[in-house]
Amino acid sequence: MTAPHNPRFAWLTDPGDRGLAIMLLAPLALLVTLIVVYPVLRLFYTSLFDHSLTSGLPPRFVGLQNFGLMLDDPTFWTTLKNTLLITLVTVPGALIMGLAMALMANMPFKYHWPVRLSLLIPWALPLAFAGLIFAWFFHSEYGVVNDILRRFGFQPVIWFNSPGWSMTAICLTVIWKTSSFMALILLAGLQTIPRSLYEAADVDGAGKLRQFWEITLPLLRPAIAVALIFRTITALQTFDIPYTMTAGGPGGSTATLAMYIHQNTVSFLDLGYGSALAVVMFLLSMLVTVLYLRMIRARG
Amino acid sequence: MKHLSLAALAAMGALASPALADADLRIFISSQHQPDVWRQVLDRFEQATPGVSVEIETGGNTSEAQAQYLNTLMSAQDPSLDVMILDVVRPAQFAAAGWTLPIEDVDMAQYLPAYAEANTVNGKVVALPAFADAMFLYYRTDLLEKHGVAVPTTWDELREAAKTILAAEGDDSLQGLSFQGKPIEGTVCTFLLPYWSLGENLVEDGALTLDEPAAIASMQLWKSFAEDGTSKPNISEVATDDTRKEFQAGDAVFAVNWSYAWAQAQSDESAVKGNVGVARLPAMEGGQQASCLGGWEWGVSAYSEHPAEATALVKYLSSPDVAEFMAVNGALLPAFPQVYEDAEVLAAAPWFADAKQVVETARARPVTPRYAEVSEVIRTTLNAVLAGVSTPEEGVAAIQSRLARVLR
């Protein structure tokens, strides 16, 4: 049962392996070009212009001037520092918490669903909700955190009145929110480790801790790498939680680079400078991705 | 409601205009501005202009949230909105970005002068007033009476009054004064109130004229309230609606707030119903009493597909009849001087009699297309000072250097 053969459409009915691959990939390539490549190129282009909607003037080409302004902009450095701090604290924090949660979920409980559900809930909760909810937890008068402190005889803390405590509250929230994502990826990794390895180790007399270091951790390395790449990039882009918890306060001391980009573009309507800041964040994310990929390749 | 009779509508020039075509208009009204009361006004408009329907879109319960939403929509040149409500500080920015259409044939002299000024940019009318507003001193009439304390006219008197009452009441949940210290728009006014009271201007002819001693005095005043127990130590967390709630719950003797707090403080859910006094905000020692001008404006979107109909709607919404209706039914302050003397308005809100003078003498925040930046500098700096992150002197130096770059 073959269709009448028409040589003009031969490439369509029998494209060959290479041709088929191109045809199947074309829609995706087009989509990625439209929603990723074009906007990124456009971002680089806009970053070279003095383009402020409040000036009432048309965009003016200024070369790298926006990047030069950044060097003298203390807010840029503060927000960059805060972003890196949040990344350095919350990525390892979420990895440790996530690993503990994954190991727990992988234990042979009779009922898996309560553990797995509690893994899923923080992950499924929108970031902004998490921020708003935790802002109430940490509220100095009505918050549950201070209530607990009082019950145990400690002095309550005015969390959002000091840069250090505000940053602590933000990092705790980010770790709570993101460790379940880590746990989900790590749980998937754990389930690929054959049980027979542990049985063999039992026979050889290796203890649980030894099994964790010698079997679980090495075999989990690819899953950890994937989880770290995703988590680090989203950590560099941290926006929702500090935005909803502190709005950058007190006095801008907890604002992140993503919040500063948002402020410059959406509030100040300075598209040129905002784009230049976004270029920096893009390059930072690329750098991290490349470093991780090289690390995986070097090990693998 | 006699004021919104169809006859009155028909008498209005804007609606008699024959050019109106059939149109479905969409109007943005923020959720805290009583969209349900405006709906009644829009129903009358629809009745008087057959073929034109108006749908309300609500969103964002803070000025910043609304500005961000509208900024996104307008920079995408989205035609879905025809008319939008704008905080009094925004029309200049919207006009500079080309987002609002100029409105012609309006007698701006009919409005309170401050609103005529806020809505006119480079000689063009870029928006029309929806309602007026200003900051007031709210106080507990029962507590002041009980302890024989007069309504303070200076901030130092307020401090003493609060001290007397707090000491006598001995109630831990009661605070002397609630004001805004969170990095939000209201905190800009917090900074400006004592600064203006000392007779200083922040911006003159588009140039920065920051008087450092007055600015430091302002920051020191607010900081001292947080330190000496007049206010709560967590004042850097307090937003406008927190102040409203604290006062309404009976947890504050004095509060700095906009007029919207009145209706809720006097509602049945309020713990202080019947015990609410409203007065002019106190002055600095040796200064004048000053208030911060608020209010909201109607703008016609430059991307509206029905500009003629949208303009007619805005002219209607910004008419004395509607102002009177909103004063009676929504307790919104009118932008028309004569409406403050209307018997029906005074029956519904007797304190409007004194409010006119406050609105008339209230000072406007700087009118500049880059207001968003001015606001951000002031509110984050005061917030940092209140949280003890920087000293008043450091804060004022930061404002000077950062605003000098914004206002060249």
Side-chain angles (χ1 to χ4, degrees):
Chain A
M1 223 197 75
T2 50
H5 192 75
N6 184 336
R8 265 204 297 170
F9 295 109
W11 63 271
L12 202 63
T13 50
D14 182 20
D17 283 350
R18 204 184 146 79
L20 184 67
I22 291 175
M23 273 166 62
L24 292 176
L25 285 175
L28 183 67
L30 191 70
L31 195 69
V32 170
T33 310
L34 274 178
I35 66 172
V36 179
V37 180
Y38 170 74
V40 170
L41 291 178
R42 184 67 208 238
L43 181 75
F44 276 87
Y45 179 78
T46 312
S47 72
L48 303 177
F49 286 80
D50 180 358
H51 188 181
S52 166
L53 295 183
T54 58
S55 67
L57 303 170
R60 185 169 57 93
F61 181 80
V62 292
L64 296 175
Q65 187 188 299
N66 284 326
F67 295 91
L69 287 175
M70 226 180 275
L71 298 178
D72 283 335
D73 179 356
T75 314
F76 164 69
W77 291 108
T78 310
T79 55
L80 183 66
K81 194 193 84 203
N82 290 340
T83 305
L84 295 177
L85 181 67
I86 289 175
T87 307
L88 287 176
V89 172
T90 66
V91 172
L95 178 67
I96 294 166
M97 287 298 294
L99 189 58
M101 287 157 75
L103 289 171
M104 244 176 72
N106 202 37
M107 284 208 277
F109 287 120
K110 191 170 174 201
Y111 297 106
H112 277 294
W113 65 266
V115 181
R116 300 216 171 147
L117 191 68
S118 58
L119 274 189
L120 277 170
I121 286 174
W123 176 72
L125 195 73
L127 282 161
F129 288 10
L132 290 170
I133 292 169
F134 274 75
W136 277 110
F137 284 174
F138 287 107
H139 192 281
S140 61
E141 288 173 286
Y142 317 118
V144 65
V145 177
N146 273 356
D147 188 49
I148 293 170
L149 288 179
R150 272 189 217 103
R151 276 162 205 264
F152 282 92
F154 293 101
Q155 272 296 316
V157 174
I158 305 180
W159 292 85
F160 300 130
N161 214 18
S162 102
W165 286 123
S166 294
M167 196 50 110
T168 309
I170 288 170
C171 288
L172 288 173
T173 308
V174 172
I175 291 174
W176 176 85
K177 176 73 185 80
T178 55
S179 35
S180 53
F181 170 75
M182 288 287 218
L184 288 175
I185 294 183
L186 298 178
L187 183 60
L190 281 176
Q191 289 177 342
T192 63
I193 302 177
R195 205 141 279 283
S196 56
L197 291 177
Y198 295 101
E199 285 159 9
D202 275 337
V203 173
D204 291 343
K208 288 282 171 217
L209 205 62
R210 184 91 192 271
Q211 289 180 14
F212 174 75
W213 288 112
E214 300 288 336
I215 304 174
T216 313
L217 217 49
L219 288 175
L220 209 52
R221 190 174 281 151
I224 291 178
V226 170
L228 281 180
I229 293 179
F230 282 118
R231 184 70 272 278
T232 308
I233 290 173
T234 51
L236 289 173
Q237 296 164 353
T238 301
F239 175 85
D240 312 53
I241 285 175
Y243 185 77
T244 46
M245 282 181 84
T246 64
S253 58
T254 57
T256 64
L257 186 55
M259 287 165 73
Y260 195 44
I261 294 170
H262 171 265
Q263 185 175 63
N264 271 285
T265 47
V266 178
S267 296
F268 300 167
L269 301 170
D270 192 343
L271 304 187
Y273 192 58
S275 299
L277 292 166
V279 164
V280 170
M281 179 181 280
F282 175 79
L283 295 177
L284 210 59
S285 306
M286 286 303 288
L287 181 74
V288 170
T289 313
V290 169
L291 283 178
Y292 273 126
L293 287 177
R294 290 188 71 161
M295 256 167 55
I296 298 175
R297 216 170 290 164
R299 301 256 173 107
Chain B
M1 193 81 253
K2 71 182 164 83
H3 305 290
L4 287 170
S5 65
L6 292 180
L9 278 174
M12 293 182 48
L15 299 178
S17 147
L20 295 191
D22 287 1
D24 295 327
L25 300 178
R26 204 170 163 82
I27 183 168
F28 179 84
I29 302 177
S30 35
S31 42
Q32 94 265 36
H33 291 140
Q34 313 176 45
D36 46 334
V37 186
W38 286 107
R39 182 68 255 173
Q40 298 173 38
V41 174
L42 295 172
D43 288 345
R44 319 270 168 148
F45 178 78
E46 287 178 343
Q47 278 174 28
T49 52
V52 179
S53 72
V54 189
E55 198 190 339
I56 294 181
E57 177 177 324
T58 63
N61 64 355
T62 66
S63 172
E64 299 90 68
Q66 290 148 31
Q68 285 174 12
Y69 172 66
L70 293 176
N71 282 355
T72 311
L73 216 65
M74 290 295 120
S75 45
Q77 312 196 347
D78 189 316
S80 65
L81 285 181
D82 300 283
V83 173
M84 50 212 167
I85 199 165
L86 301 171
D87 193 338
V88 67
V89 293
R90 316 257 178 235
Q93 178 214 309
F94 273 61
W99 292 345
T100 50
L101 291 179
I103 299 169
E104 276 156 25
D105 304 322
V106 190
D107 173 21
M108 293 309 278
Q110 64 180 318
Y111 299 108
L112 292 167
Y115 292 98
E117 202 176 302
N119 288 297
T120 310
V121 175
N122 297 331
K124 279 187 188 153
V125 177
V126 297
L128 292 179
F131 58 91
D133 208 348
M135 278 187 149
F136 296 87
L137 179 70
Y138 285 75
Y139 63 93
R140 289 278 297 279
T141 48
D142 53 337
L143 290 178
L144 265 65
E145 215 166 285
K146 183 174 161 192
H147 301 286
V149 173
V151 177
T153 56
T154 69
W155 290 109
D156 287 342
E157 283 173 22
L158 184 142
R159 191 194 311 275
E160 287 310 310
K163 204 171 163 185
T164 309
I165 294 171
L166 289 185
E169 290 285 316
D171 174 358
D172 274 353
S173 62
L174 190 68
Q175 63 173 321
L177 171 70
S178 179
F179 63 94
Q180 293 89 55
K182 202 177 172 166
I184 53 154
E185 186 54 43
T187 300
V188 178
C189 287
T190 301
F191 167 74
L192 288 169
L193 291 170
Y195 180 79
W196 280 331
S197 170
L198 290 168
E200 299 301 333
N201 286 330
L202 187 63
V203 177
E204 276 167 39
D205 300 323
L208 181 66
T209 54
L210 182 76
D211 180 78
E212 297 200 4
I216 291 171
S218 166
M219 295 210 174
Q220 272 166 348
L221 176 78
W222 298 118
K223 198 174 154 62
S224 70
F225 283 144
E227 282 171 353
D228 68 13
T230 307
S231 301
K232 290 187 302 184
N234 71 335
I235 201 73
S236 66
E237 279 185 334
V238 175
T240 314
D241 214 41
D242 298 325
T243 295
R244 195 265 302 164
K245 286 178 199 152
E246 286 169 0
F247 187 77
Q248 194 175 325
D251 291 344
V253 182
F254 297 103
V256 179
N257 212 334
W258 304 95
S259 63
Y260 86 102
W262 165 262
Q264 280 155 301
Q266 290 287 44
S267 70
D268 288 337
E269 296 98 78
S270 169
V272 294
K273 187 182 178 185
N275 296 323
V276 182
V278 179
R280 299 188 69 181
L281 283 163
M284 295 292 271
E285 210 59 55
Q288 299 285 316
Q289 288 178 278
S291 180
C292 190
L293 187 81
W296 291 71
E297 324 302 311
W298 295 116
V300 177
S301 164
Y303 309 111
S304 166
E305 282 157 359
H306 310 286
E309 293 73 22
T311 305
L313 172 61
V314 165
K315 286 183 177 178
Y316 169 63
L317 291 177
S318 187
S319 64
D321 283 340
V322 171
E324 193 174 325
F325 180 84
M326 292 310 293
V328 171
N329 295 283
L332 295 181
L333 291 169
F336 299 90
Q338 77 276 13
V339 181
Y340 287 84
E341 278 124 46
D342 183 279
E344 205 171 328
V345 170
L346 289 175
W351 67 284
F352 274 29
D354 307 322
K356 183 184 168 197
Q357 190 207 0
V358 176
V359 177
E360 274 179 334
T361 54
R363 305 278 302 263
R365 284 160 278 173
V367 176
T368 155
R370 297 182 69 177
Y371 179 74
E373 286 161 85
V374 175
S375 164
E376 196 271 337
V377 169
I378 295 175
R379 63 180 188 235
T380 45
T381 310
L382 179 55
N383 176 257
V385 169
L386 290 175
V389 178
S390 47
T391 65
E393 289 75 14
E394 287 164 357
V396 171
I399 289 184
Q400 171 67 43
S401 74
R402 292 186 64 197
L403 281 191
R405 270 184 284 164
V406 176
L407 301 165
R408 280 160 301 192

